[in-house]
Amino acid sequence: MVPIACFLAFLALATARPHGTRQVSSTAKAGLAWPNGDFDNVDQYRSTGKVQWYYTWGPSPIDTDLEFVPMLWGTNQVSEWSHSISNTIQQHHVTHALGFNEPQQPGQSNLSPTDAASIWKAQLEPLKAQGILLGSPAPSSAPSGKQWLLDWQQACGGWNGNGSTGGCTVDFVALHWYDVNSTAFVQYLEDFHATFQKPIWVTEWACQNYNQVDQQCSQQDIVDFLNATQSFMDSTDWIERYAWFGAMRNMSGVNEWDALMDSSGHITFLGQQYIGAATPNVSANPQPGVVHGGDGEQGGPAAVSSASRAGASLVALIITAVIISTLA
Ligand SMILES: *[C@@H]1O[C@H](CO)[C@@H](O)[C@H](O)[C@H]1NC(C)=O
Ligand SMILES: *[C@@H]1O[C@H](CO)[C@@H](O)[C@H](O)[C@H]1NC(C)=O
Ligand SMILES: *[C@@H]1O[C@H](CO)[C@@H](O)[C@H](O)[C@H]1NC(C)=O
Ligand SMILES: *[C@@H]1O[C@H](CO)[C@@H](O)[C@H](O)[C@H]1NC(C)=O
Ligand SMILES: *[C@@H]1O[C@H](CO)[C@@H](O)[C@H](O)[C@H]1NC(C)=O
């Protein structure tokens, strides 16, 4: 549910309060999940100021003064992370960091709760001493996701959101969600919030049906879905930040109409909607969960023109960017 590829205008959010609930900024929620390195133009998403942060599924930033949130994707990044994170925090004024990517998915970071707890304590927990706020490992929305997070909490020796030492401090819960029903999306977030009692970051979401692959969103369904979900998050104080999937030329099998970038690297109309530069033409009576597309992979702006490069070269590009920034 995520590309394999995934590899300062900072607005300070309120500092931690004693009881695990934190004051949440009502602005600066929208961000970019950005696998494009410096190859594509990030500034085209900044014209309104609504987008205030980005992450790259890894420890390496791009060349922009948007607020960078480093992620420790999984074991394959531990070495890079441990060598670079202190410098990155200083040079990029980092205030938040993200944990593992879809740890309960074999095709993603694929970590047992126990291993994840131990890597967390070695690599992420020490950042608390520098004042960094930490986001939980981000499970996919498969039913195993919430259970994994609960098991990880146990493996850590209990969450440590209350200022004591030890365990795994979770300042906010990060999660991913892929499906087609905006009402179900809201219910999912409410359940996570009720369960974990932390602010929520949705670090990937899109209108994509993984359960019935021939029941995908049409372009209009996606306009409606983005509008409904983004409106909810913009107006809900315990939703701290979000990043749609995605701002990329190749959607890695996710419905191409979800793309915020076309195959030439330009912002799409949906991208204009996402950043608040265009008022969406929402349906008069949208019906959450009712879809009008077919196989979403066949259509959409990112698939319209011929591929400028294949997914493999995108991976190579990102790895190159990572290497270059590591050497720099
Ligand atoms: C943190 O504090 C809250 C409220 O006092 C409490 O319900 C919760 O159990 C505490 N969590 C931990 C991990 O101590
Ligand atoms: C949702 O659509 C309505 C109607 O076009 C618009 O007024 C509103 O700004 C949109 N909200 C978002 C978050 O795009
Ligand atoms: C807006 O969308 C509706 C269908 O939901 C369509 O009938 C109408 O032509 C669209 N208007 C514009 C200006 O695109
Ligand atoms: C959308 O989700 C809501 C909440 O789970 C549910 O009540 C509704 O039936 C769903 N709609 C469809 C068309 O599946
Ligand atoms: C997108 O990436 C996939 C691999 O994830 C590749 O098979 C496909 O050809 C790519 N499509 C385009 C349009 O580049």
PDB file of all heavy atoms in Angstrom, residues 103-104 111-118 121 137 139 143-159 168 192 195-196:
ATOM      1  N   PRO A 103       4.522  -1.518   9.767  1.00  0.00           N
ATOM      2  CA  PRO A 103       5.363  -2.580  10.335  1.00  0.00           C
ATOM      3  C   PRO A 103       4.719  -3.960  10.267  1.00  0.00           C
ATOM      4  O   PRO A 103       5.433  -4.958  10.263  1.00  0.00           O
ATOM      5  CB  PRO A 103       5.546  -2.132  11.789  1.00  0.00           C
ATOM      6  CG  PRO A 103       4.365  -1.255  12.060  1.00  0.00           C
ATOM      7  CD  PRO A 103       4.121  -0.532  10.775  1.00  0.00           C
ATOM      8  N   GLN A 104       3.387  -4.016  10.210  1.00  0.00           N
ATOM      9  CA  GLN A 104       2.739  -5.340  10.236  1.00  0.00           C
ATOM     10  C   GLN A 104       2.574  -5.920   8.841  1.00  0.00           C
ATOM     11  O   GLN A 104       2.026  -7.001   8.680  1.00  0.00           O
ATOM     12  CB  GLN A 104       1.399  -5.252  10.981  1.00  0.00           C
ATOM     13  CG  GLN A 104       0.152  -5.083  10.136  1.00  0.00           C
ATOM     14  CD  GLN A 104      -0.106  -3.662   9.642  1.00  0.00           C
ATOM     15  OE1 GLN A 104       0.796  -2.831   9.605  1.00  0.00           O
ATOM     16  NE2 GLN A 104      -1.316  -3.385   9.220  1.00  0.00           N
ATOM     17  N   LEU A 111       8.052  -5.720  10.751  1.00  0.00           N
ATOM     18  CA  LEU A 111       8.726  -5.839  12.037  1.00  0.00           C
ATOM     19  C   LEU A 111       7.817  -6.502  13.063  1.00  0.00           C
ATOM     20  O   LEU A 111       6.625  -6.184  13.142  1.00  0.00           O
ATOM     21  CB  LEU A 111       9.111  -4.445  12.552  1.00  0.00           C
ATOM     22  CG  LEU A 111      10.272  -3.757  11.845  1.00  0.00           C
ATOM     23  CD1 LEU A 111      10.252  -2.258  12.152  1.00  0.00           C
ATOM     24  CD2 LEU A 111      11.592  -4.369  12.296  1.00  0.00           C
ATOM     25  N   SER A 112       8.361  -7.381  13.856  1.00  0.00           N
ATOM     26  CA  SER A 112       7.600  -7.890  14.991  1.00  0.00           C
ATOM     27  C   SER A 112       7.517  -6.771  16.028  1.00  0.00           C
ATOM     28  O   SER A 112       8.400  -5.903  16.089  1.00  0.00           O
ATOM     29  CB  SER A 112       8.306  -9.100  15.595  1.00  0.00           C
ATOM     30  OG  SER A 112       9.475  -8.680  16.267  1.00  0.00           O
ATOM     31  N   PRO A 113       6.473  -6.771  16.841  1.00  0.00           N
ATOM     32  CA  PRO A 113       6.378  -5.751  17.891  1.00  0.00           C
ATOM     33  C   PRO A 113       7.627  -5.732  18.779  1.00  0.00           C
ATOM     34  O   PRO A 113       8.084  -4.658  19.180  1.00  0.00           O
ATOM     35  CB  PRO A 113       5.132  -6.185  18.672  1.00  0.00           C
ATOM     36  CG  PRO A 113       4.277  -6.852  17.641  1.00  0.00           C
ATOM     37  CD  PRO A 113       5.248  -7.601  16.760  1.00  0.00           C
ATOM     38  N   THR A 114       8.176  -6.890  19.053  1.00  0.00           N
ATOM     39  CA  THR A 114       9.358  -6.954  19.924  1.00  0.00           C
ATOM     40  C   THR A 114      10.577  -6.308  19.281  1.00  0.00           C
ATOM     41  O   THR A 114      11.280  -5.497  19.899  1.00  0.00           O
ATOM     42  CB  THR A 114       9.681  -8.429  20.255  1.00  0.00           C
ATOM     43  OG1 THR A 114       8.479  -9.039  20.743  1.00  0.00           O
ATOM     44  CG2 THR A 114      10.771  -8.529  21.293  1.00  0.00           C
ATOM     45  N   ASP A 115      10.833  -6.655  18.016  1.00  0.00           N
ATOM     46  CA  ASP A 115      11.970  -6.040  17.326  1.00  0.00           C
ATOM     47  C   ASP A 115      11.755  -4.531  17.178  1.00  0.00           C
ATOM     48  O   ASP A 115      12.695  -3.740  17.337  1.00  0.00           O
ATOM     49  CB  ASP A 115      12.155  -6.669  15.939  1.00  0.00           C
ATOM     50  CG  ASP A 115      12.704  -8.085  16.024  1.00  0.00           C
ATOM     51  OD1 ASP A 115      13.129  -8.496  17.121  1.00  0.00           O
ATOM     52  OD2 ASP A 115      12.712  -8.782  14.990  1.00  0.00           O
ATOM     53  N   ALA A 116      10.535  -4.165  16.868  1.00  0.00           N
ATOM     54  CA  ALA A 116      10.244  -2.739  16.702  1.00  0.00           C
ATOM     55  C   ALA A 116      10.457  -1.984  18.014  1.00  0.00           C
ATOM     56  O   ALA A 116      10.947  -0.853  18.014  1.00  0.00           O
ATOM     57  CB  ALA A 116       8.812  -2.552  16.195  1.00  0.00           C
ATOM     58  N   ALA A 117      10.105  -2.613  19.131  1.00  0.00           N
ATOM     59  CA  ALA A 117      10.314  -1.959  20.433  1.00  0.00           C
ATOM     60  C   ALA A 117      11.800  -1.754  20.685  1.00  0.00           C
ATOM     61  O   ALA A 117      12.228  -0.690  21.152  1.00  0.00           O
ATOM     62  CB  ALA A 117       9.691  -2.801  21.550  1.00  0.00           C
ATOM     63  N   SER A 118      12.584  -2.745  20.330  1.00  0.00           N
ATOM     64  CA  SER A 118      14.006  -2.604  20.641  1.00  0.00           C
ATOM     65  C   SER A 118      14.691  -1.591  19.724  1.00  0.00           C
ATOM     66  O   SER A 118      15.511  -0.792  20.172  1.00  0.00           O
ATOM     67  CB  SER A 118      14.658  -4.000  20.669  1.00  0.00           C
ATOM     68  OG  SER A 118      15.446  -4.209  19.560  1.00  0.00           O
ATOM     69  N   LYS A 121      13.683   1.896  20.968  1.00  0.00           N
ATOM     70  CA  LYS A 121      14.397   2.347  22.175  1.00  0.00           C
ATOM     71  C   LYS A 121      15.831   2.770  21.850  1.00  0.00           C
ATOM     72  O   LYS A 121      16.375   3.674  22.484  1.00  0.00           O
ATOM     73  CB  LYS A 121      14.381   1.247  23.237  1.00  0.00           C
ATOM     74  CG  LYS A 121      12.995   1.078  23.845  1.00  0.00           C
ATOM     75  CD  LYS A 121      12.944  -0.076  24.836  1.00  0.00           C
ATOM     76  CE  LYS A 121      11.509  -0.303  25.293  1.00  0.00           C
ATOM     77  NZ  LYS A 121      11.382  -1.459  26.199  1.00  0.00           N
ATOM     78  N   PRO A 137       4.917   4.004  15.119  1.00  0.00           N
ATOM     79  CA  PRO A 137       4.928   3.257  13.863  1.00  0.00           C
ATOM     80  C   PRO A 137       3.556   3.410  13.201  1.00  0.00           C
ATOM     81  O   PRO A 137       2.537   3.450  13.892  1.00  0.00           O
ATOM     82  CB  PRO A 137       5.159   1.812  14.318  1.00  0.00           C
ATOM     83  CG  PRO A 137       5.859   1.929  15.639  1.00  0.00           C
ATOM     84  CD  PRO A 137       5.296   3.171  16.270  1.00  0.00           C
ATOM     85  N   PRO A 139       0.794   1.856  11.146  1.00  0.00           N
ATOM     86  CA  PRO A 139       0.260   0.626  10.556  1.00  0.00           C
ATOM     87  C   PRO A 139      -0.618   0.935   9.345  1.00  0.00           C
ATOM     88  O   PRO A 139      -1.193   2.021   9.253  1.00  0.00           O
ATOM     89  CB  PRO A 139      -0.575   0.031  11.695  1.00  0.00           C
ATOM     90  CG  PRO A 139      -0.962   1.185  12.545  1.00  0.00           C
ATOM     91  CD  PRO A 139       0.135   2.211  12.409  1.00  0.00           C
ATOM     92  N   PRO A 143      -6.903  -4.946   9.149  1.00  0.00           N
ATOM     93  CA  PRO A 143      -7.352  -5.183  10.534  1.00  0.00           C
ATOM     94  C   PRO A 143      -6.208  -5.510  11.496  1.00  0.00           C
ATOM     95  O   PRO A 143      -6.310  -5.253  12.702  1.00  0.00           O
ATOM     96  CB  PRO A 143      -8.299  -6.388  10.391  1.00  0.00           C
ATOM     97  CG  PRO A 143      -8.779  -6.316   8.980  1.00  0.00           C
ATOM     98  CD  PRO A 143      -7.644  -5.755   8.173  1.00  0.00           C
ATOM     99  N   SER A 144      -5.111  -6.025  10.986  1.00  0.00           N
ATOM    100  CA  SER A 144      -3.970  -6.349  11.846  1.00  0.00           C
ATOM    101  C   SER A 144      -3.256  -5.108  12.384  1.00  0.00           C
ATOM    102  O   SER A 144      -2.438  -5.211  13.294  1.00  0.00           O
ATOM    103  CB  SER A 144      -2.968  -7.204  11.061  1.00  0.00           C
ATOM    104  OG  SER A 144      -2.586  -6.531   9.859  1.00  0.00           O
ATOM    105  N   GLY A 145      -3.555  -3.939  11.819  1.00  0.00           N
ATOM    106  CA  GLY A 145      -2.797  -2.741  12.143  1.00  0.00           C
ATOM    107  C   GLY A 145      -2.931  -2.288  13.586  1.00  0.00           C
ATOM    108  O   GLY A 145      -1.940  -2.062  14.282  1.00  0.00           O
ATOM    109  N   LYS A 146      -4.170  -2.170  14.016  1.00  0.00           N
ATOM    110  CA  LYS A 146      -4.395  -1.699  15.383  1.00  0.00           C
ATOM    111  C   LYS A 146      -3.841  -2.700  16.399  1.00  0.00           C
ATOM    112  O   LYS A 146      -3.230  -2.303  17.397  1.00  0.00           O
ATOM    113  CB  LYS A 146      -5.889  -1.482  15.597  1.00  0.00           C
ATOM    114  CG  LYS A 146      -6.254  -0.909  16.936  1.00  0.00           C
ATOM    115  CD  LYS A 146      -7.762  -0.647  16.966  1.00  0.00           C
ATOM    116  CE  LYS A 146      -8.285  -0.595  18.370  1.00  0.00           C
ATOM    117  NZ  LYS A 146      -9.776  -0.509  18.379  1.00  0.00           N
ATOM    118  N   GLN A 147      -4.042  -3.983  16.118  1.00  0.00           N
ATOM    119  CA  GLN A 147      -3.545  -5.004  17.047  1.00  0.00           C
ATOM    120  C   GLN A 147      -2.018  -4.955  17.134  1.00  0.00           C
ATOM    121  O   GLN A 147      -1.441  -5.099  18.207  1.00  0.00           O
ATOM    122  CB  GLN A 147      -4.019  -6.402  16.617  1.00  0.00           C
ATOM    123  CG  GLN A 147      -3.712  -7.473  17.653  1.00  0.00           C
ATOM    124  CD  GLN A 147      -4.359  -7.150  19.013  1.00  0.00           C
ATOM    125  OE1 GLN A 147      -5.546  -6.835  19.084  1.00  0.00           O
ATOM    126  NE2 GLN A 147      -3.563  -7.191  20.097  1.00  0.00           N
ATOM    127  N   TRP A 148      -1.379  -4.736  15.989  1.00  0.00           N
ATOM    128  CA  TRP A 148       0.086  -4.638  16.006  1.00  0.00           C
ATOM    129  C   TRP A 148       0.533  -3.503  16.935  1.00  0.00           C
ATOM    130  O   TRP A 148       1.466  -3.656  17.732  1.00  0.00           O
ATOM    131  CB  TRP A 148       0.633  -4.412  14.588  1.00  0.00           C
ATOM    132  CG  TRP A 148       2.133  -4.512  14.525  1.00  0.00           C
ATOM    133  CD1 TRP A 148       2.891  -5.592  14.166  1.00  0.00           C
ATOM    134  CD2 TRP A 148       3.071  -3.470  14.879  1.00  0.00           C
ATOM    135  NE1 TRP A 148       4.232  -5.301  14.276  1.00  0.00           N
ATOM    136  CE2 TRP A 148       4.372  -4.011  14.712  1.00  0.00           C
ATOM    137  CE3 TRP A 148       2.943  -2.154  15.323  1.00  0.00           C
ATOM    138  CZ2 TRP A 148       5.535  -3.263  14.956  1.00  0.00           C
ATOM    139  CZ3 TRP A 148       4.098  -1.413  15.586  1.00  0.00           C
ATOM    140  CH2 TRP A 148       5.375  -1.970  15.395  1.00  0.00           C
ATOM    141  N   LEU A 149      -0.176  -2.375  16.825  1.00  0.00           N
ATOM    142  CA  LEU A 149       0.207  -1.217  17.642  1.00  0.00           C
ATOM    143  C   LEU A 149       0.003  -1.514  19.135  1.00  0.00           C
ATOM    144  O   LEU A 149       0.830  -1.130  19.975  1.00  0.00           O
ATOM    145  CB  LEU A 149      -0.630  -0.010  17.197  1.00  0.00           C
ATOM    146  CG  LEU A 149      -0.002   1.370  17.213  1.00  0.00           C
ATOM    147  CD1 LEU A 149       1.406   1.404  16.645  1.00  0.00           C
ATOM    148  CD2 LEU A 149      -0.903   2.358  16.466  1.00  0.00           C
ATOM    149  N   LEU A 150      -1.087  -2.209  19.455  1.00  0.00           N
ATOM    150  CA  LEU A 150      -1.329  -2.590  20.850  1.00  0.00           C
ATOM    151  C   LEU A 150      -0.242  -3.563  21.330  1.00  0.00           C
ATOM    152  O   LEU A 150       0.270  -3.440  22.454  1.00  0.00           O
ATOM    153  CB  LEU A 150      -2.716  -3.229  20.982  1.00  0.00           C
ATOM    154  CG  LEU A 150      -3.899  -2.267  20.806  1.00  0.00           C
ATOM    155  CD1 LEU A 150      -5.204  -3.030  20.582  1.00  0.00           C
ATOM    156  CD2 LEU A 150      -4.019  -1.329  22.004  1.00  0.00           C
ATOM    157  N   ASP A 151       0.131  -4.508  20.475  1.00  0.00           N
ATOM    158  CA  ASP A 151       1.169  -5.477  20.852  1.00  0.00           C
ATOM    159  C   ASP A 151       2.523  -4.786  21.026  1.00  0.00           C
ATOM    160  O   ASP A 151       3.305  -5.121  21.919  1.00  0.00           O
ATOM    161  CB  ASP A 151       1.290  -6.572  19.776  1.00  0.00           C
ATOM    162  CG  ASP A 151       0.053  -7.453  19.718  1.00  0.00           C
ATOM    163  OD1 ASP A 151      -0.774  -7.400  20.654  1.00  0.00           O
ATOM    164  OD2 ASP A 151      -0.110  -8.174  18.713  1.00  0.00           O
ATOM    165  N   TRP A 152       2.781  -3.839  20.168  1.00  0.00           N
ATOM    166  CA  TRP A 152       4.029  -3.080  20.255  1.00  0.00           C
ATOM    167  C   TRP A 152       4.082  -2.283  21.562  1.00  0.00           C
ATOM    168  O   TRP A 152       5.118  -2.240  22.241  1.00  0.00           O
ATOM    169  CB  TRP A 152       4.146  -2.158  19.040  1.00  0.00           C
ATOM    170  CG  TRP A 152       5.335  -1.264  19.060  1.00  0.00           C
ATOM    171  CD1 TRP A 152       6.643  -1.611  18.856  1.00  0.00           C
ATOM    172  CD2 TRP A 152       5.334   0.149  19.305  1.00  0.00           C
ATOM    173  NE1 TRP A 152       7.453  -0.498  18.958  1.00  0.00           N
ATOM    174  CE2 TRP A 152       6.667   0.584  19.224  1.00  0.00           C
ATOM    175  CE3 TRP A 152       4.329   1.084  19.568  1.00  0.00           C
ATOM    176  CZ2 TRP A 152       7.025   1.925  19.401  1.00  0.00           C
ATOM    177  CZ3 TRP A 152       4.688   2.411  19.749  1.00  0.00           C
ATOM    178  CH2 TRP A 152       6.016   2.822  19.666  1.00  0.00           C
ATOM    179  N   GLN A 153       2.943  -1.701  21.895  1.00  0.00           N
ATOM    180  CA  GLN A 153       2.837  -0.965  23.161  1.00  0.00           C
ATOM    181  C   GLN A 153       3.211  -1.874  24.334  1.00  0.00           C
ATOM    182  O   GLN A 153       3.974  -1.493  25.223  1.00  0.00           O
ATOM    183  CB  GLN A 153       1.397  -0.457  23.275  1.00  0.00           C
ATOM    184  CG  GLN A 153       1.003   0.149  24.584  1.00  0.00           C
ATOM    185  CD  GLN A 153      -0.459   0.599  24.571  1.00  0.00           C
ATOM    186  OE1 GLN A 153      -1.125   0.569  23.552  1.00  0.00           O
ATOM    187  NE2 GLN A 153      -0.945   1.029  25.712  1.00  0.00           N
ATOM    188  N   GLN A 154       2.691  -3.093  24.312  1.00  0.00           N
ATOM    189  CA  GLN A 154       3.030  -4.073  25.355  1.00  0.00           C
ATOM    190  C   GLN A 154       4.526  -4.393  25.328  1.00  0.00           C
ATOM    191  O   GLN A 154       5.188  -4.443  26.360  1.00  0.00           O
ATOM    192  CB  GLN A 154       2.243  -5.367  25.142  1.00  0.00           C
ATOM    193  CG  GLN A 154       0.780  -5.258  25.508  1.00  0.00           C
ATOM    194  CD  GLN A 154       0.560  -4.835  26.951  1.00  0.00           C
ATOM    195  OE1 GLN A 154       1.193  -5.372  27.857  1.00  0.00           O
ATOM    196  NE2 GLN A 154      -0.285  -3.841  27.163  1.00  0.00           N
ATOM    197  N   ALA A 155       5.041  -4.635  24.114  1.00  0.00           N
ATOM    198  CA  ALA A 155       6.449  -5.015  23.969  1.00  0.00           C
ATOM    199  C   ALA A 155       7.379  -3.906  24.460  1.00  0.00           C
ATOM    200  O   ALA A 155       8.497  -4.163  24.906  1.00  0.00           O
ATOM    201  CB  ALA A 155       6.747  -5.371  22.509  1.00  0.00           C
ATOM    202  N   CYS A 156       6.904  -2.676  24.366  1.00  0.00           N
ATOM    203  CA  CYS A 156       7.702  -1.534  24.832  1.00  0.00           C
ATOM    204  C   CYS A 156       7.706  -1.449  26.352  1.00  0.00           C
ATOM    205  O   CYS A 156       8.483  -0.694  26.935  1.00  0.00           O
ATOM    206  CB  CYS A 156       7.113  -0.230  24.288  1.00  0.00           C
ATOM    207  SG  CYS A 156       7.495   0.086  22.565  1.00  0.00           S
ATOM    208  N   GLY A 157       6.784  -2.152  26.981  1.00  0.00           N
ATOM    209  CA  GLY A 157       6.632  -2.013  28.423  1.00  0.00           C
ATOM    210  C   GLY A 157       5.636  -0.908  28.761  1.00  0.00           C
ATOM    211  O   GLY A 157       5.736  -0.261  29.792  1.00  0.00           O
ATOM    212  N   GLY A 158       4.679  -0.700  27.879  1.00  0.00           N
ATOM    213  CA  GLY A 158       3.688   0.353  28.096  1.00  0.00           C
ATOM    214  C   GLY A 158       4.118   1.626  27.415  1.00  0.00           C
ATOM    215  O   GLY A 158       5.299   1.901  27.270  1.00  0.00           O
ATOM    216  N   TRP A 159       3.144   2.373  26.933  1.00  0.00           N
ATOM    217  CA  TRP A 159       3.484   3.652  26.311  1.00  0.00           C
ATOM    218  C   TRP A 159       3.924   4.610  27.371  1.00  0.00           C
ATOM    219  O   TRP A 159       3.549   4.503  28.524  1.00  0.00           O
ATOM    220  CB  TRP A 159       2.279   4.248  25.584  1.00  0.00           C
ATOM    221  CG  TRP A 159       1.996   3.559  24.304  1.00  0.00           C
ATOM    222  CD1 TRP A 159       2.327   2.273  23.980  1.00  0.00           C
ATOM    223  CD2 TRP A 159       1.310   4.106  23.193  1.00  0.00           C
ATOM    224  NE1 TRP A 159       1.875   1.997  22.729  1.00  0.00           N
ATOM    225  CE2 TRP A 159       1.262   3.084  22.215  1.00  0.00           C
ATOM    226  CE3 TRP A 159       0.745   5.336  22.916  1.00  0.00           C
ATOM    227  CZ2 TRP A 159       0.645   3.286  20.982  1.00  0.00           C
ATOM    228  CZ3 TRP A 159       0.136   5.530  21.711  1.00  0.00           C
ATOM    229  CH2 TRP A 159       0.094   4.514  20.744  1.00  0.00           C
ATOM    230  N   CYS A 168       8.428   3.346  25.228  1.00  0.00           N
ATOM    231  CA  CYS A 168       8.431   4.027  23.938  1.00  0.00           C
ATOM    232  C   CYS A 168       7.512   5.225  24.039  1.00  0.00           C
ATOM    233  O   CYS A 168       6.309   5.068  24.220  1.00  0.00           O
ATOM    234  CB  CYS A 168       7.928   3.082  22.842  1.00  0.00           C
ATOM    235  SG  CYS A 168       8.854   1.534  22.704  1.00  0.00           S
ATOM    236  N   PHE A 192      -9.178   5.022  16.549  1.00  0.00           N
ATOM    237  CA  PHE A 192      -7.767   5.110  16.957  1.00  0.00           C
ATOM    238  C   PHE A 192      -7.579   6.184  18.023  1.00  0.00           C
ATOM    239  O   PHE A 192      -6.815   5.992  18.967  1.00  0.00           O
ATOM    240  CB  PHE A 192      -6.868   5.392  15.743  1.00  0.00           C
ATOM    241  CG  PHE A 192      -6.270   4.144  15.152  1.00  0.00           C
ATOM    242  CD1 PHE A 192      -7.079   3.203  14.525  1.00  0.00           C
ATOM    243  CD2 PHE A 192      -4.905   3.896  15.212  1.00  0.00           C
ATOM    244  CE1 PHE A 192      -6.539   2.040  13.984  1.00  0.00           C
ATOM    245  CE2 PHE A 192      -4.351   2.739  14.682  1.00  0.00           C
ATOM    246  CZ  PHE A 192      -5.163   1.810  14.061  1.00  0.00           C
ATOM    247  N   THR A 195      -8.910   4.854  21.267  1.00  0.00           N
ATOM    248  CA  THR A 195      -8.079   3.771  21.802  1.00  0.00           C
ATOM    249  C   THR A 195      -6.766   4.280  22.373  1.00  0.00           C
ATOM    250  O   THR A 195      -6.368   3.895  23.473  1.00  0.00           O
ATOM    251  CB  THR A 195      -7.771   2.742  20.694  1.00  0.00           C
ATOM    252  OG1 THR A 195      -8.998   2.228  20.179  1.00  0.00           O
ATOM    253  CG2 THR A 195      -6.911   1.591  21.219  1.00  0.00           C
ATOM    254  N   PHE A 196      -6.096   5.139  21.618  1.00  0.00           N
ATOM    255  CA  PHE A 196      -4.728   5.499  21.995  1.00  0.00           C
ATOM    256  C   PHE A 196      -4.615   6.862  22.677  1.00  0.00           C
ATOM    257  O   PHE A 196      -3.578   7.181  23.244  1.00  0.00           O
ATOM    258  CB  PHE A 196      -3.818   5.440  20.760  1.00  0.00           C
ATOM    259  CG  PHE A 196      -3.721   4.038  20.190  1.00  0.00           C
ATOM    260  CD1 PHE A 196      -4.321   3.713  18.979  1.00  0.00           C
ATOM    261  CD2 PHE A 196      -3.049   3.041  20.876  1.00  0.00           C
ATOM    262  CE1 PHE A 196      -4.251   2.423  18.461  1.00  0.00           C
ATOM    263  CE2 PHE A 196      -2.976   1.742  20.372  1.00  0.00           C
ATOM    264  CZ  PHE A 196      -3.570   1.436  19.170  1.00  0.00           C
TER     265      PHE A 196
END
